[in-house]
Amino acid sequence: MTKSFGPLTVLRGIDLNLHSGEVLGLVGTMARARALWVKILSGLFPPDDGQVSIKGREVRLHSVQDASSHGIETVYQDLALIRSCRSSRTCS
């Protein structure tokens, strides 16, 4: 998979195989394009080159809903997405 913005190639040669039931966590130093790769896999951006294949069939991910319909979900590491239990006596 490859992604460029103008003359700047941000992702080059991303190749990953996952199997049913696996959970993938991405870690690493800042400014290594992890978030961009996740956005491509989540259907927010199309890759410039390469493909996403599920069960051996190429799929086009045009939206988050598209990705979700293929079993691709994203959980962002952002505490603002989680309601604080400190402000109330019950959490749900």
Side-chain angles (χ1 to χ4, degrees):
M1 185 174 296
T2 302
K3 182 67 178 175
S4 297
F5 292 97
L8 179 64
T9 300
V10 182
L11 295 177
R12 181 181 304 128
I14 301 295
D15 188 6
L16 176 72
N17 293 302
L18 294 173
H19 301 281
S20 181
E22 287 184 332
V23 176
L24 173 67
L26 297 175
V27 297
T29 58
M30 297 293 291
R32 297 292 180 229
R34 288 181 317 276
L36 175 61
W37 186 75
V38 168
K39 289 176 183 177
I40 291 171
L41 200 58
S42 297
L44 292 173
F45 290 122
D48 294 331
D49 189 32
Q51 66 183 32
V52 175
S53 297
I54 298 175
K55 296 182 181 177
R57 299 182 67 177
E58 183 178 349
V59 296
R60 302 276 183 204
L61 304 174
H62 300 286
S63 68
V64 173
Q65 292 80 11
D66 255 357
S68 183
S69 73
H70 290 288
I72 300 170
E73 301 290 344
T74 304
V75 178
Y76 292 95
Q77 182 184 347
D78 187 345
L79 296 179
L81 298 175
I82 303 171
R83 192 178 76 135
S84 173
C85 292
R86 293 183 202 134
S87 62
S88 67
R89 293 182 177 209
T90 61
C91 291
S92 56

